[in-house]
Amino acid sequence: MLESERFKKIQQNRKCFAYIAIFVVFQIIVLSIFGATVMKIKTPNVRLRSVTVQSLNYSSSGSNSPFFNMTLIAEVSVRNKNFGHFKFDPTKANVTFGGVIVGQGDIIKARAKARKTKRMNVTIEVNSDGISDGAKLGTEVSSGNVTLSTLARVRGKVTLMKMMKKRKTAQMNCSMIVNLPNQLVYDLACK
Ligand SMILES: *[C@@H]1O[C@H](CO)[C@@H](O)[C@H](O)[C@H]1NC(C)=O
Ligand SMILES: *[C@@H]1O[C@H](CO)[C@@H](O)[C@H](O)[C@H]1NC(C)=O
Ligand SMILES: *[C@@H]1O[C@H](CO)[C@@H](O)[C@H](O)[C@H]1NC(C)=O
Ligand SMILES: *[C@@H]1O[C@H](CO)[C@@H](O)[C@H](O)[C@H]1NC(C)=O
Ligand SMILES: *[C@@H]1O[C@H](CO)[C@@H](O)[C@H](O)[C@H]1NC(C)=O
Ligand SMILES: *[C@@H]1O[C@H](CO)[C@@H](O)[C@H](O)[C@H]1NC(C)=O
């Protein structure tokens, strides 16, 4: 009788250890998945969704040297895939032609909520006055298609669970063709 009871006890203890072991392994798996998904902080993605052209003036011939000026309304999107918000600082969106800055717009400080995309319209006054490469300018303006790039560096902080904070910098690098006769933007592409 004593023998069989001792045997039973050992059996029960073994079972108990097995359950604890399974539970621990299960917890480790759950925590690893949590760590690899929810707690992993990703760099937000900043791009231009659309650009419209307003008050365009340009000339490729005549008494003046070739020029263009216009107002661009650019819709910027900040896509935040994190499980916490991304709060970013104000910064500049630079529009360039052949590497030269021809316009700047203000990206105001804002916050992209967790797993959401923040959109905002940025007004950029573009003027070809600073361009020294007159030949390239003349060629593009007379072809009717001007290639512009828009660059921005958006710095901010991702906050997870109200306490974990991490700085992240998102880069925007988009190119587009502004068709002057039609005042339209073609081939808008972002990296
Ligand atoms: C510039 O463009 C605006 C709007 O398109 C137009 O009203 C204005 O007359 C133009 N100015 C010149 C000097 O071409
Ligand atoms: C755009 O160019 C036109 C023609 O040269 C000029 O009258 C106008 O002041 C310029 N606008 C801007 C905002 O530079
Ligand atoms: C930006 O401007 C466009 C065109 O006016 C409009 O359709 C869009 O809703 C605006 N976006 C925001 C975020 O205000
Ligand atoms: C301007 O670019 C657009 C889009 O790439 C193209 O369809 C059009 O033919 C180009 N126009 C000229 C004058 O090069
Ligand atoms: C935009 O231009 C400013 C200078 O006006 C410069 O400090 C900044 O680094 C530029 N931003 C990018 C993304 O090139
Ligand atoms: C933006 O993309 C262009 C085209 O690939 C590349 O040549 C350029 O170096 C990039 N600029 C920045 C600031 O990353």
Side-chain angles (χ1 to χ4, degrees), residues 42-54:
K42 301 167 203 85
T43 304
N45 195 288
V46 184
R47 43 178 50 236
L48 290 181
R49 290 190 76 237
S50 66
V51 179
T52 54
V53 181
Q54 291 178 355

Side-chain angles (χ1 to χ4, degrees), residues 63-130:
S63 49
N64 303 318
S65 39
F67 80 94
F68 59 79
N69 68 33
M70 67 190 98
T71 303
L72 296 179
I73 312 291
E75 193 176 16
V76 174
S77 73
V78 179
R79 184 163 164 234
N80 176 26
K81 285 210 246 168
N82 294 295
F83 288 82
H85 68 253
F86 176 58
K87 206 172 155 188
F88 51 91
D89 305 330
T91 189
K92 297 284 180 198
N94 296 346
V95 173
T96 63
F97 173 92
V100 178
I101 295 179
V102 291
Q104 273 187 332
D106 286 308
I107 294 178
I108 55 170
K109 72 167 184 178
R111 171 201 286 236
K113 290 188 190 140
R115 320 257 316 144
K116 290 270 189 298
T117 300
K118 172 75 185 174
R119 298 198 174 110
M120 60 173 78
N121 276 332
V122 174
T123 304
I124 308 166
E125 300 296 341
V126 172
N127 194 308
S128 65
D129 285 352

Side-chain angles (χ1 to χ4, degrees), residues 1 6 12-13 25 35 45 51 63 68 74 78 82 92 101 103 152 157 166 171 174 185 187 191:
M1 177 219 164
R6 241 181 66 196
Q12 271 173 355
N13 277 349
V25 168
N45 195 288
V51 179
S63 49
F68 59 79
V78 179
N82 294 295
K92 297 284 180 198
I101 295 179
K157 248 186 230 162
K166 193 162 184 200
Q171 299 274 359
C174 303
V185 170
D187 301 343
K191 295 221 143 45

Side-chain angles (χ1 to χ4, degrees), residues 143-145 177 179 186-187:
S143 84
N145 273 343
I177 294 173
N179 183 265
Y186 292 109
D187 301 343

